[in-house]
Amino acid sequence: MNVDLLAKAKSLGFSDRQIAHLTGRTEDDVRAERKRIGLVPSYRLVDTCAAEFEAYTPYFYSTYDRGDDEIRPSDRRKVMILGGGPNRIGQGIEFDYCCVHAAFALKEDGYETLMVNSNPETVSTDYDTSDKLFFEPLTLEDVLHIYEREKCWGAIAQFGGQTPLNLALSLQKNGVNIIGTSPQSIEIAEDRKLFAAMLRKLDIPQPPNGLATNEVEALEAAHKLGYPVLVRPSFVLGGRAMQIVYSDTELTHYMRFAVEASPERPVLVDKFLEDATEVDVDCIADVGHFSEPGKGTVVMGGVLEHIEYAGVHSGDAAMVLPPHTLSQKVITTIRDYTHAMARELKVIGLMNVQYAVKGDTVYVLEVNPRASRTVPFVSKAIGVPLAKLAARVMAGKTLVELGFTAEVWRKYWAVKESVFPFNRFHGQDILLSPEMRSTGEVMGLDADLGIAYAKSQMAANAPLPLSGQVFISVSDAHKNEVADVAKQFADLGFELISTSGTATVLEKAGLKVRRLFKLTEGRPNALDLLKNREIQLVINTPAGQTPRADEVRIRTTAVYTNTPIMTTLSGARAAALGIAALKKTGYEVKTIQEFH
């Protein structure tokens, strides 16, 4: 590898990592060689005026073609904010909100803000968000170039989701001042062995779990824990390749085809807690600014209770703030655990914790010492800009200085509902899982929980019906609970329709039901009635992990005909609550500012 060849490779767009792979070296070796011969990129301004006028927008891109460097020097203290990178399902746009608020807050405090992001379709890449914007990939090589060229004081890796977080340790090793929670603390939360050790030290329970680097170890762990188990790769984005597994066959298939397991990247095998309530907590802390134990402040921003049972990704689940079924004892336990973990991890900025509550026992599922998908929702619901406060805390302020030291519990309900692209993916089953599928979210606010839920449904999906026919078909596992739910709809004046199995259960409970043929038995069946718009609401829970073809057809037809559909009984109960509230009082429009 000679100087000319290296220069040519860089101008053609080869990364240090690719060159290292092709020449049998390490990425660090290639970077050191490049620096030794003075081969570094120059930065050009994106010409937003097509050369007709001088461009003043601060957009830059890097190039190895020799020419002028158009970066404008300044002597202000600079903070680099790493964005979320390409936008895709599983990479929430909520992280972009956090990056934008960080840029605004630090600009107000006199810092020069540098945004690094490769996605032109976001607010963080608008010309007036940051002082300088670099359209660059979020790789170690590209981020280091900018940091060194601009002589930054610090970099924020907490706000762009998993993409920049995975770079934090490598950036720190190369001299980057990562402000906020230290990469070492982030590593404790991400590394399952270190994380389990921390929970043991704090005496906080987590679901029984194991690690597997191959198929044999995965089967051993599953047999020890007992099915069902939740399997997932480590260090993933948006719950990608997470799955609830019910048998050896499913687990073997998962290990062979879904993931690549290795000692560096083991697969996590957790006991799946069926029918547990999942809870998300966002908190903010400045503990890492203080060396003495017990010093610093930890404040829970919001406690969000999922409407769906545990096992649905938090980016997809409908949630309620404040929690609507949790006891005061459970909330106190959640607060104690959150404070203990924030202090142990010496958090500076935001932290998100996911809990599963079964009875009075609170289990910790995972901890992320970073901004989470729920930060924008919580901030808007409580009227406190958590991302802005966190950015200021990361830059050195304390929560006492910023005047945010007490939890905010509002007197109204905020319901988050997710928006899905299922009508764009024909034949794709709409069942929710640990893998994220939503492409957005909405908020319903009201003093009445039922109305707040109904508002969220109007905004996200088809609005809840006030009368008509409800088609109910549930799996054997839910037959013992379905009569209570069906009775709520019958009491609201709905006509019940079912296929034979569910109809028998409802008739035994004394409910009047119209029987329908199953899809394989004849007509008229549920598909006919859906296409004729004769069904106003569908309640259909899946039979087992592998859904039957006729179930999938019913669910997808409901989506195409814009018929509201509930795939969990907890969702159906929430719908009944919403319909009852709408029929009783109706609803009115009120701005979020009026609520605050």
Side-chain angles (χ1 to χ4, degrees):
M1 187 172 68
N2 58 56
V3 173
D4 292 338
L5 186 60
L6 185 55
K8 190 177 180 188
K10 292 309 287 184
S11 73
L12 288 170
F14 282 82
S15 68
D16 287 353
R17 204 164 165 188
Q18 284 173 309
I19 294 167
H21 174 71
L22 292 168
T23 57
R25 302 168 189 231
T26 66
E27 188 180 349
D28 290 342
D29 290 341
V30 176
R31 187 182 305 111
E33 175 66 14
R34 230 180 359 82
K35 284 186 172 176
R36 189 183 66 76
I37 61 174
L39 184 60
V40 291
S42 57
Y43 290 89
R44 306 279 175 81
L45 198 68
V46 174
D47 190 349
T48 47
C49 299
E52 290 187 41
F53 311 98
E54 187 180 348
Y56 287 101
T57 46
Y59 291 10
F60 298 97
Y61 65 95
S62 65
T63 175
Y64 277 88
D65 291 339
R66 296 299 181 196
D68 295 334
D69 192 317
E70 296 176 334
I71 281 201
R72 298 151 181 177
S74 82
D75 53 5
R76 286 160 67 200
R77 185 178 259 199
K78 299 182 179 77
V79 175
M80 173 196 277
I81 300 163
L82 302 181
N87 228 25
R88 52 200 184 274
I89 294 176
Q91 171 75 20
I93 199 73
E94 300 88 345
F95 296 125
D96 202 65
Y97 166 100
C98 295
C99 292
V100 170
H101 274 238
F104 288 166
L106 294 175
K107 260 168 107 171
E108 286 165 19
D109 289 359
Y111 292 91
E112 182 172 320
T113 56
L114 278 60
M115 184 71 68
V116 181
N117 207 355
S118 55
N119 182 3
E121 197 50 57
T122 56
V123 185
S124 67
T125 49
D126 283 358
Y127 72 92
D128 55 354
T129 295
S130 53
D131 294 304
K132 287 178 186 165
L133 166 66
F134 292 85
F135 275 120
E136 295 288 281
L138 285 149
T139 66
L140 180 65
E141 175 184 345
D142 295 289
V143 172
L144 279 176
H145 282 156
I146 301 163
Y147 188 87
E148 290 164 1
R149 173 68 184 79
E150 285 281 1
K151 299 182 174 63
C152 295
W153 166 70
I156 292 179
Q158 271 191 30
F159 282 175
Q162 196 71 36
T163 307
L165 210 63
N166 287 347
L167 291 175
L169 262 178
S170 304
L171 287 170
Q172 191 188 50
K173 283 173 187 163
N174 282 279
V176 172
N177 172 29
I178 301 284
I179 62 173
T181 307
S182 74
Q184 285 70 27
S185 291
I186 291 167
E187 186 79 358
I188 290 170
E190 295 269 350
D191 184 298
R192 298 321 276 186
K193 285 180 181 166
L194 298 175
F195 180 58
M198 179 190 83
L199 293 183
R200 277 197 302 275
K201 178 184 170 185
L202 298 174
D203 197 22
I204 295 174
Q206 69 175 140
N209 58 73
L211 285 173
T213 57
N214 56 48
E215 198 181 304
V216 175
E217 287 179 11
L219 288 165
E220 275 175 17
H223 293 161
K224 188 174 154 194
L225 299 170
Y227 289 106
V229 293
L230 178 70
V231 284
R232 53 188 164 155
S234 40
F235 296 95
V236 294
L237 187 77
R240 195 180 55 72
M242 278 171 73
Q243 200 174 309
I244 300 164
V245 168
Y246 290 82
S247 68
D248 283 1
T249 314
E250 286 177 28
L251 184 57
T252 305
H253 185 270
Y254 176 86
M255 292 300 290
R256 283 182 191 169
F257 302 107
V259 292
E260 283 182 43
S262 69
E264 295 77 43
R265 291 284 164 109
V267 167
L268 319 173
V269 186
D270 294 339
K271 174 69 181 163
F272 178 62
L273 303 169
E274 291 189 283
D275 298 341
T277 302
E278 199 163 328
V279 179
D280 256 77
V281 174
D282 283 308
C283 83
I284 184 168
D286 59 14
V287 178
H289 288 326
F290 302 88
S291 50
E292 312 96 284
K295 286 276 187 173
T297 311
V298 182
V299 184
M300 287 201 309
V303 180
L304 294 137
E305 182 179 343
H306 293 213
I307 288 174
E308 286 88 2
Y309 287 131
V312 173
H313 192 281
S314 59
D316 286 355
M319 301 182 188
V320 179
L321 178 93
H324 62 302
T325 68
L326 300 185
S327 67
Q328 201 52 52
K329 181 185 173 190
V330 165
I331 291 169
T332 303
T333 304
I334 286 172
R335 183 182 294 115
D336 292 345
Y337 288 174
T338 304
H339 282 240
M341 288 186 289
R343 292 191 179 283
E344 182 66 23
L345 291 169
K346 299 183 173 58
V347 171
I348 303 171
L350 291 165
M351 180 178 88
N352 169 263
V353 192
Q354 287 165 25
Y355 294 101
V357 179
K358 196 153 186 180
D360 275 344
T361 309
V362 178
Y363 296 94
V364 174
L365 298 178
E366 62 177 275
V367 175
N368 295 303
R370 59 163 167 83
S372 77
R373 284 182 180 79
T374 44
V375 165
F377 176 82
V378 171
S379 299
K380 290 177 183 186
I382 67 172
V384 178
L386 294 174
K388 278 187 171 179
L389 292 177
R392 291 188 163 118
V393 165
M394 291 159 85
K397 294 254 175 79
T398 66
L399 286 170
V400 172
E401 285 175 75
L402 296 170
F404 185 63
T405 55
E407 292 171 18
V408 177
W409 290 76
R410 295 291 187 188
K411 292 280 191 286
Y412 50 80
W413 301 94
V415 175
K416 173 178 98 74
E417 182 57 281
S418 299
V419 178
F420 298 95
F422 292 128
N423 57 350
R424 298 281 190 277
F425 296 102
H426 279 251
Q428 173 72 41
D429 195 7
I430 67 165
L431 283 183
L432 302 182
S433 72
E435 187 162 353
M436 183 175 161
R437 289 178 177 158
S438 67
T439 49
E441 59 188 42
V442 299
M443 172 192 268
L445 286 178
D446 204 87
D448 182 293
L449 176 57
I451 300 284
Y453 182 78
K455 283 180 175 178
S456 75
Q457 298 309 298
M458 288 174 208
N461 313 307
L464 296 173
L466 298 183
S467 61
Q469 303 190 104
V470 180
F471 174 71
I472 305 175
S473 173
V474 299
S475 67
D476 292 342
H478 300 116
K479 291 254 172 34
N480 57 340
E481 297 174 67
V482 72
D484 290 342
V485 178
K487 186 176 185 308
Q488 287 177 286
F489 283 96
D491 292 346
L492 288 167
F494 285 86
E495 188 184 337
L496 307 180
I497 311 175
S498 285
T499 48
S500 55
T502 306
T504 304
V505 174
L506 299 181
E507 283 164 353
K508 273 186 189 167
L511 295 168
K512 187 182 171 191
V513 189
R514 175 184 162 195
R515 285 178 176 253
L516 265 192
F517 288 117
K518 287 184 176 173
L519 267 55
T520 50
E521 291 173 348
R523 307 177 82 163
N525 55 44
L527 289 191
D528 299 324
L529 269 62
L530 279 168
K531 287 171 184 171
N532 294 341
R533 303 290 198 278
E534 291 176 47
I535 291 175
Q536 280 63 51
L537 180 75
V538 174
I539 299 169
N540 176 235
T541 66
Q545 183 62 9
T546 312
R548 293 197 300 262
D550 53 350
E551 281 183 20
V552 177
R553 285 175 68 198
I554 290 170
R555 288 193 284 265
T556 52
T557 305
V559 170
Y560 304 147
T561 55
N562 213 25
T563 307
I565 174 163
M566 303 293 156
T567 57
T568 62
L569 289 184
S570 51
R573 285 190 194 95
L577 188 71
I579 293 166
L582 284 174
K583 290 183 83 152
K584 185 181 174 188
T585 58
Y587 68 94
E588 57 182 29
V589 176
K590 196 173 173 183
T591 65
I592 196 166
Q593 289 83 355
E594 287 175 89
F595 277 103
H596 292 166

